[in-house]
Amino acid sequence: MRLPRDLHPVAWWAWAVGLAVAASCTTNPILLGVLLGVITLVVLTCRSDQPWARSFRLYVWLGVVVVLVRILFRLLLGGDVPGHVLLTLPSIPLPDWAAGISLLGPFTREELLAATYEGLRLATLLVAVGAANALANPKRLMKSLPPALYEIGTAMTVAISVVPQLADSARRVRAAQQLRGGPQGRLRRIRGVRRLLVPILEDSFDRSLALAAGMDARGYGRSGELTTPQRRITGALIIAGLVGVCVGVYAFLDSTAPRVLALPMLGLGLLVALGGFATAGRRVQRTRYRPDRWQLPELVVAASGVASGAGMWATQRWEPLVAHPSVVVRPGLSLLALAAVLVAVAPVWAAPPPVTAQRREEAMA
């Protein structure tokens, strides 16, 4: 019997990034639908009862809005794609400088399918990020970052915890209004949106001030004892490393560039950037109480996400018609594509049970 514990947050983010890469490599609606089902199953199985775990629904609704907006833009800016006409709207003429762009006009089935495929891919990316937000503890994520990135990590942690905090504030404010005999019914709930938004914003500001005070009391934002030459050397190493990485990536993607600027420059840039980060980490003096350890479940979860992204990249490269089907024919499937998507369901069995209030009570009983 596995003991309940929280999985390492970096493992969840590695899994989610792998699924986001897999979603970016395909527009096949069947594969994207299976990928959304896998993400939902893992979140419902492995999330805890903490406030950030309730934010997944907001990302799902955001994905639905993205798909609808993508279809609306395709309807507004029609591409005059030939095919089966579903809806005929009056066309609005545009000046000559806007050649190639048309407003309204006939809307075909092929345009609808293309907009749905593209919107579904973007929605899957957002849902993957939402899954990482719902599964990973943002405070432990900030603690796991290297010392050189603690300032960036603090900003990122505060940013990704905004949606979970808003979801928790909305739940508590709604419950308080219901206890006070607030308006009931769908129409009254729509009219009471303004009464709901003001307490949510006030609660968010209060939490932000409390977070800022707590971070200031714990020494965030204070620099270590480094001399001016050391700071200049650190900045020069980081900038030179980032320039080398950019040149190496560009040469790797551009086949006409000299090969000496590809992998050698990319490796040299990474080494210089890592040296700069190591030097920058010396100015941050901090201690860790009970550091998080990587165990077998963390490795399996992270590897499943990486395998999913790599598998869909291979599908895009070797089976382009499966990864990016045409809107004229029915989307197809392959064993490689299905395996690349289904391997991401491994956390359902590999991840330990999440820590919840019910399990805490059972352990204390």
Side-chain angles (χ1 to χ4, degrees):
M1 182 178 180
R2 296 178 298 173
L3 296 177
R5 68 177 181 89
D6 291 332
L7 202 72
H8 199 289
V10 177
W12 281 127
W13 273 100
W15 174 81
V17 170
L19 266 63
V21 172
S24 64
C25 293
T26 179
T27 54
N28 191 320
I30 301 178
L31 294 177
L32 292 174
V34 176
L35 194 59
L36 287 173
V38 168
I39 295 173
T40 305
L41 177 62
V42 172
V43 170
L44 295 180
T45 305
C46 302
R47 68 176 176 178
S48 63
D49 57 353
Q50 297 297 326
W52 57 80
R54 306 186 185 99
S55 63
F56 181 70
R57 183 184 301 178
L58 297 179
Y59 286 93
V60 173
W61 282 111
L62 182 60
V64 174
V65 171
V66 166
V67 176
L68 296 178
V69 169
R70 188 68 185 86
I71 295 175
L72 181 61
F73 268 94
R74 195 63 179 258
L75 178 65
L76 179 62
L77 303 174
D80 294 333
V81 177
H84 182 73
V85 179
L86 297 177
L87 183 63
T88 303
L89 298 174
S91 180
I92 301 177
L94 294 176
D96 296 335
W97 56 266
I101 302 177
S102 60
L103 292 179
L104 302 179
F107 188 65
T108 62
R109 180 178 57 190
E110 287 73 16
E111 288 181 304
L112 176 62
L113 292 177
T116 304
Y117 292 177
E118 296 169 0
L120 189 60
R121 176 169 60 175
L122 182 55
T124 308
L125 288 170
L126 293 175
V127 172
V129 175
N133 266 326
L135 294 170
N137 189 332
K139 297 178 182 178
R140 292 179 60 191
L141 178 64
M142 182 176 61
K143 185 178 67 173
S144 303
L145 292 176
L149 300 177
Y150 91 102
E151 294 177 346
I152 301 176
T154 302
M156 291 179 60
T157 302
V158 173
I160 64 178
S161 61
V162 168
V163 175
Q165 287 183 1
L166 289 178
D168 183 58
S169 299
R171 180 186 60 83
R172 293 190 294 107
V173 170
R174 190 182 299 111
Q177 290 184 353
Q178 291 177 355
L179 290 175
R180 295 185 179 92
Q184 303 294 329
R186 183 176 182 84
L187 181 60
R188 293 184 178 181
R189 285 200 302 266
I190 295 176
R191 292 179 178 176
V193 170
R194 184 172 57 183
R195 298 178 54 190
L196 186 66
L197 288 179
V198 174
I200 289 176
L201 293 177
E202 182 181 0
D203 185 74
S204 300
F205 281 123
D206 292 340
R207 287 193 177 192
S208 301
L209 292 176
L211 177 63
M215 292 174 64
D216 182 70
R218 289 167 175 84
Y220 285 95
R222 293 176 174 85
S223 59
E225 297 179 358
L226 284 182
T227 61
T228 301
Q230 290 176 336
R231 290 193 179 94
R232 291 176 179 176
I233 293 175
T234 300
L237 287 176
I238 293 178
I239 294 176
L242 293 179
V243 170
V245 169
C246 292
V247 173
V249 171
Y250 177 80
F252 181 78
L253 297 177
D254 188 5
S255 59
T256 61
R259 293 299 88 192
V260 70
L261 296 178
L263 293 179
M265 183 61 71
L266 182 60
L268 181 61
L270 288 175
L271 289 177
V272 175
L274 290 177
F277 283 129
T279 307
R282 296 177 182 176
R283 68 184 180 90
V284 180
Q285 301 175 0
R286 67 179 186 180
T287 58
R288 290 185 180 180
Y289 174 70
R290 298 176 62 183
D292 296 329
R293 304 293 183 183
W294 277 69
Q295 302 180 22
L296 182 60
E298 279 82 0
L299 296 176
V300 173
V301 170
S304 64
V306 174
S308 179
M312 285 308 304
W313 179 84
T315 302
Q316 181 186 21
R317 185 178 181 86
W318 298 335
E319 299 175 350
L321 295 181
V322 175
H324 301 283
S326 174
V327 295
V328 181
V329 298
R330 182 177 300 177
L333 294 175
S334 67
L335 184 60
L336 175 61
L338 281 178
V341 173
L342 294 179
V343 72
V345 80
V348 174
W349 298 281
V355 179
T356 59
Q358 182 179 359
R359 289 194 173 96
R360 293 192 191 97
E361 294 176 356
E362 293 176 355
M364 296 175 61

